[in-house]
Amino acid sequence: MAEKTVKRAAQTSDDKTFDVVVVGAGFAGLYALYHLRERGLSVCVCEAGSGVGGTWYWNRYPGARVDIESVEYSYSFSEELQQEWNWTERYASQPELLKYANHVADRFDLRRHIRLNTRVTSAAFSEAENIWTIQTDKGSTLRATFCVMATGFLSAPNKPAIPGLDRYSGKQFHSADWPNDGVNFSGKRVGVIGTGSSGIQMIPIIAQQAEHLYVFQRTANFSIPLRNKPMHPEFQQSVKTNYPEWRRREWEAPGGYVSVNFQMSEPQSALALDVSHEERLTDFEYRWNSGGLCFYNSFPDLYTSREANSTLADFVRGKIHERVGDPAVAEALTPKSHPILTKRLCADTGYFETFNRQNVTLVDLKKSPIEEITADGVKLQGGVEHKVDCLVFATGFDAVTGALTRMDIRGRNGLSIQSHWASGPRTYLGLMASGFPNLFIIDGPGSPGAFFHPILLSEYQVRWVGDCISYLWQNGFASIEPSPDTEDRWVGHVNEVTNQFLVSQVDSWYLGSNIPGKPRVPMMYIGGFKQYSGWCDKSAAEGYEDFCLTRTHASRTAAVS
């Protein structure tokens, strides 16, 4: 049982005033509700969807599946939950993950605190009252001392502004806003735009249904076999028996997951350039045959040295050519514009083999970009038009910040989050922003985000928030926020660390550069969870001296330099 908070901020029994309003009922929001409620706080969760699950509620596209092993991609906070839930596959599908989220909501009686079909449109802080006022698209107004944004770092769909989209006569779909009842592509000519994770998962399945599939590739991506399979009961039981050790190792592992390490002992500590070609090849082949994202635990210099990185990139490029029959198509599918692991590594089931099918055409947009969408299909520069009955956008997200900047969030003196982040997101520890008191962000910009196990990171950050609220009330403080100087130091540190890695040299959503006009800056902290949690733990242990603490709206304590 979590430590109980000793004081209540919102002494009211109405249904509009709370200690905490949480925005989002995905995996982070559900745990935030559970944990903060356990501390004795009154909590209300607003969720735009008609069900819980967040990412796994919205992303229902064919083939949607997690790429971290099921036994690891799960909550660690409840031993009973870990023991009672049984996964059916090595990598859980979207329906199973959604079922798991719903089980958690029911298991811990969370639904009565969640308002579904309720999108938050604005949140404004009142210094006079030390209260956040939250407006929703239902026309309702909520008030809370604290606001927790659990909106996710991949939750604001990006649909490119291609000329002519408004006159297209066929049906359009986006991977992150898929119809509840699915889509039947049988007998249809289908165009898929985008070959990132979502596209790579859906393309093999759509190809099996469609009369003809046109894949419009903007950037060739590295992908390795997922090698999904049914869950072996004995394996699952062994994990349950040893969950304490699994979780301990997850917290210590670079990315927060360790499945392959239970077979290979520990992540590679040797450098790729210090071992023989044969040793590198043995490591790469083992990981290729193991499946999933285990390449992230390979040689550490793959992230910092182009020469080292090319040893793995060339290995995977060779595998692509082995999987695709037509050499010209294989060459077009082979990534050349970026080092491997500098964009999110994809994991697939038969993706490259799909291009061996007679009903699949690869359209390389590097050679012939899209000129416009016509009433009947996609017209390329040069005049070639591909007529399609349906267009599917697998074009990703306005990642990390998009869900927040699409709301009207205003802090002290009416400062908007859009204005504060005009030159790129600014936070301290990825948890709070200067000028926005008592506003916490889970998986926010400047936190490890996509570089660490998302569920474990959410659990850690939510507990940090709970501890922080307890400290404030136990010590007579009304609010907390970072100072501009503290924020500057963290942003500088995030940039300094990022510049040590090859990821800093590549345009991707890791740097916000997939969105036209978005500042190109690091979106997340790549320095590792151990170092990140060390900063957070130190701040809490020292009484949040690196923050500005306020006793009333007129009395603030300065952050310690």
Side-chain angles (χ1 to χ4, degrees), residues 426-430 432-434 481-494 535 539 544-548 558-561:
R426 300 177 52 76
T427 68
Y428 181 48
L429 303 176
M432 303 195 80
S434 175
E481 65 184 288
S483 71
D485 288 345
T486 304
E487 197 176 62
D488 284 345
R489 288 198 298 274
W490 183 250
V491 171
H493 177 62
V494 170
W535 282 76
S539 175
Y544 309 95
E545 291 180 345
D546 45 354
F547 285 84
C548 294
V560 176
S561 298

Coordinates of all heavy atoms in Angstrom, one line a residue, residues 426-430 432-434 481-494 535 539 544-548 558-561:
R426 N 10.7 22.6 -23.3 CA 11.5 22.9 -22.2 C 10.9 22.4 -20.9 O 9.7 22.7 -20.6 CB 11.7 24.4 -22.0 CG 12.3 25.1 -23.3 CD 12.4 26.6 -23.1 NE 13.0 27.0 -21.8 CZ 14.3 26.9 -21.6 NH1 15.1 26.5 -22.6 NH2 14.8 27.3 -20.4
T427 N 11.6 21.5 -20.2 CA 11.1 20.9 -18.9 C 12.3 20.8 -18.0 O 13.4 20.9 -18.4 CB 10.4 19.5 -19.1 OG1 11.4 18.6 -19.5 CG2 9.3 19.6 -20.2
Y428 N 12.0 20.4 -16.8 CA 13.0 19.9 -15.9 C 12.6 18.4 -15.5 O 11.5 18.1 -15.1 CB 13.0 20.7 -14.6 CG 14.1 20.3 -13.6 CD1 15.4 20.0 -14.0 CD2 13.8 20.1 -12.3 CE1 16.4 19.6 -13.2 CE2 14.8 19.6 -11.4 CZ 16.1 19.4 -11.8 OH 17.1 18.9 -11.0
L429 N 13.6 17.6 -15.8 CA 13.4 16.1 -15.6 C 12.3 15.5 -16.5 O 11.9 14.4 -16.2 CB 13.2 15.8 -14.1 CG 14.2 16.3 -13.2 CD1 13.8 16.0 -11.7 CD2 15.6 15.7 -13.5
G430 N 11.8 16.3 -17.5 CA 10.7 15.8 -18.3 C 9.4 15.7 -17.5 O 8.4 15.2 -18.0
M432 N 8.1 18.6 -15.3 CA 7.5 19.9 -15.1 C 8.1 20.9 -15.9 O 9.3 20.8 -16.3 CB 7.6 20.3 -13.6 CG 7.0 19.3 -12.6 SD 6.8 20.0 -10.9 CE 5.2 20.9 -11.2
A433 N 7.3 22.0 -16.2 CA 7.8 23.1 -17.0 C 7.7 24.4 -16.2 O 6.8 24.6 -15.4 CB 7.0 23.3 -18.3
S434 N 8.7 25.3 -16.3 CA 8.7 26.5 -15.6 C 7.5 27.4 -16.0 O 7.2 27.6 -17.2 CB 10.0 27.3 -15.9 OG 10.1 28.6 -15.3
E481 N 7.2 24.2 -9.0 CA 7.6 24.3 -10.4 C 9.1 24.5 -10.5 O 9.7 25.0 -9.6 CB 6.8 25.5 -11.1 CG 7.3 26.9 -10.5 CD 6.5 28.0 -11.1 OE1 6.7 28.4 -12.3 OE2 5.7 28.6 -10.3
P482 N 9.7 24.2 -11.7 CA 11.1 24.5 -11.8 C 11.3 25.9 -12.2 O 10.4 26.6 -12.7 CB 11.5 23.6 -13.0 CG 10.3 23.4 -13.8 CD 9.1 23.4 -12.8
S483 N 12.5 26.5 -11.8 CA 12.8 27.8 -12.2 C 13.3 27.8 -13.6 O 13.7 26.7 -14.1 CB 13.9 28.4 -11.3 OG 15.2 27.7 -11.6
P484 N 13.3 28.9 -14.3 CA 13.9 29.0 -15.7 C 15.4 28.5 -15.7 O 15.8 27.8 -16.7 CB 13.8 30.5 -16.0 CG 12.6 31.0 -15.2 CD 12.7 30.2 -13.9
D485 N 16.1 28.8 -14.7 CA 17.6 28.4 -14.7 C 17.7 26.9 -14.6 O 18.5 26.3 -15.2 CB 18.3 29.1 -13.6 CG 18.5 30.6 -13.8 OD1 18.4 31.0 -15.0 OD2 18.8 31.3 -12.8
T486 N 16.9 26.3 -13.7 CA 16.9 24.9 -13.5 C 16.5 24.2 -14.8 O 17.1 23.2 -15.3 CB 16.0 24.5 -12.4 OG1 16.4 25.1 -11.2 CG2 16.1 23.0 -12.2
E487 N 15.5 24.7 -15.4 CA 15.0 24.2 -16.7 C 16.1 24.3 -17.8 O 16.4 23.4 -18.6 CB 13.8 25.0 -17.1 CG 12.9 24.4 -18.2 CD 11.7 25.2 -18.5 OE1 11.8 26.4 -18.9 OE2 10.6 24.7 -18.3
D488 N 16.8 25.5 -17.8 CA 17.9 25.7 -18.8 C 19.0 24.6 -18.6 O 19.5 24.1 -19.6 CB 18.5 27.1 -18.6 CG 17.7 28.2 -19.1 OD1 16.8 27.9 -19.9 OD2 18.0 29.4 -18.8
R489 N 19.3 24.3 -17.3 CA 20.4 23.3 -17.1 C 20.0 21.9 -17.6 O 20.8 21.2 -18.2 CB 20.7 23.3 -15.6 CG 21.5 24.5 -15.1 CD 22.1 24.2 -13.8 NE 21.2 23.9 -12.7 CZ 20.6 24.8 -12.0 NH1 20.8 26.1 -12.2 NH2 19.7 24.5 -11.0
W490 N 18.7 21.6 -17.4 CA 18.3 20.2 -17.8 C 18.2 20.2 -19.3 O 18.7 19.2 -19.9 CB 16.9 19.9 -17.2 CG 16.4 18.5 -17.6 CD1 15.4 18.2 -18.4 CD2 17.0 17.3 -17.2 NE1 15.3 16.8 -18.6 CE2 16.3 16.2 -17.8 CE3 18.1 17.0 -16.3 CZ2 16.7 14.9 -17.6 CZ3 18.4 15.6 -16.1 CH2 17.7 14.6 -16.8
V491 N 17.7 21.2 -20.0 CA 17.6 21.2 -21.4 C 19.0 21.1 -22.0 O 19.3 20.4 -23.0 CB 16.9 22.4 -21.9 CG1 17.0 22.6 -23.5 CG2 15.4 22.4 -21.5
G492 N 19.9 21.9 -21.4 CA 21.3 21.8 -21.8 C 21.9 20.4 -21.7 O 22.7 20.0 -22.5
H493 N 21.6 19.8 -20.6 CA 22.1 18.4 -20.3 C 21.6 17.5 -21.3 O 22.3 16.6 -21.9 CB 21.8 18.0 -18.9 CG 22.2 16.6 -18.5 ND1 23.5 16.2 -18.6 CD2 21.4 15.5 -18.2 CE1 23.5 14.9 -18.2 NE2 22.3 14.5 -18.0
V494 N 20.3 17.5 -21.6 CA 19.6 16.6 -22.6 C 20.3 16.8 -23.9 O 20.6 15.8 -24.6 CB 18.1 16.9 -22.6 CG1 17.5 16.2 -23.8 CG2 17.4 16.5 -21.3
W535 N 19.0 11.6 -11.0 CA 18.6 13.0 -10.9 C 17.3 13.2 -10.1 O 17.2 14.1 -9.2 CB 18.4 13.6 -12.3 CG 19.7 14.0 -13.0 CD1 20.5 13.1 -13.6 CD2 20.3 15.3 -13.2 NE1 21.6 13.8 -14.2 CE2 21.4 15.1 -14.0 CE3 19.9 16.6 -12.8 CZ2 22.2 16.2 -14.4 CZ3 20.7 17.6 -13.2 CH2 21.8 17.4 -14.0
S539 N 16.7 14.9 -6.3 CA 15.8 16.1 -6.1 C 14.9 15.8 -5.0 O 14.7 16.7 -4.1 CB 15.1 16.4 -7.4 OG 14.1 17.4 -7.2
Y544 N 13.4 18.8 -2.9 CA 13.0 19.6 -4.1 C 13.6 21.0 -4.1 O 13.0 21.9 -4.5 CB 11.5 19.6 -4.3 CG 10.8 18.3 -4.2 CD1 10.3 17.8 -2.9 CD2 10.8 17.4 -5.2 CE1 9.8 16.5 -2.8 CE2 10.3 16.1 -5.1 CZ 9.8 15.7 -3.9 OH 9.2 14.4 -3.8
E545 N 14.9 21.0 -3.6 CA 15.5 22.3 -3.5 C 15.8 22.9 -4.9 O 16.1 24.1 -5.0 CB 16.8 22.2 -2.7 CG 16.6 22.0 -1.2 CD 17.9 21.8 -0.4 OE1 19.0 21.7 -1.1 OE2 17.9 21.9 0.8
D546 N 15.9 22.1 -5.9 CA 16.1 22.5 -7.2 C 14.8 23.0 -7.9 O 14.9 23.4 -9.1 CB 16.8 21.4 -8.1 CG 16.1 20.1 -7.9 OD1 15.2 19.9 -7.1 OD2 16.5 19.1 -8.6
F547 N 13.7 23.1 -7.2 CA 12.5 23.6 -7.7 C 12.1 24.9 -7.0 O 12.7 25.2 -5.9 CB 11.3 22.6 -7.5 CG 11.3 21.4 -8.4 CD1 12.1 20.3 -8.2 CD2 10.5 21.4 -9.6 CE1 12.1 19.2 -9.0 CE2 10.5 20.4 -10.4 CZ 11.3 19.3 -10.2
C548 N 11.2 25.6 -7.5 CA 10.6 26.7 -6.7 C 9.3 26.2 -6.0 O 8.4 25.7 -6.6 CB 10.2 27.9 -7.7 SG 11.6 28.7 -8.5
A558 N 13.0 30.5 -3.7 CA 13.8 30.4 -4.9 C 14.4 29.0 -5.0 O 14.7 28.4 -4.0 CB 14.9 31.5 -4.9
A559 N 14.6 28.6 -6.2 CA 15.3 27.4 -6.5 C 16.8 27.5 -6.1 O 17.3 28.6 -6.3 CB 15.2 27.0 -8.0
V560 N 17.3 26.4 -5.6 CA 18.7 26.5 -5.3 C 19.6 26.3 -6.5 O 19.3 25.3 -7.3 CB 19.0 25.3 -4.2 CG1 20.5 25.3 -3.9 CG2 18.2 25.6 -3.0
S561 N 20.5 27.1 -6.7 CA 21.4 27.0 -7.9 C 22.4 25.9 -7.8 O 22.8 25.5 -6.7 CB 22.1 28.3 -8.1 OG 21.2 29.4 -8.3

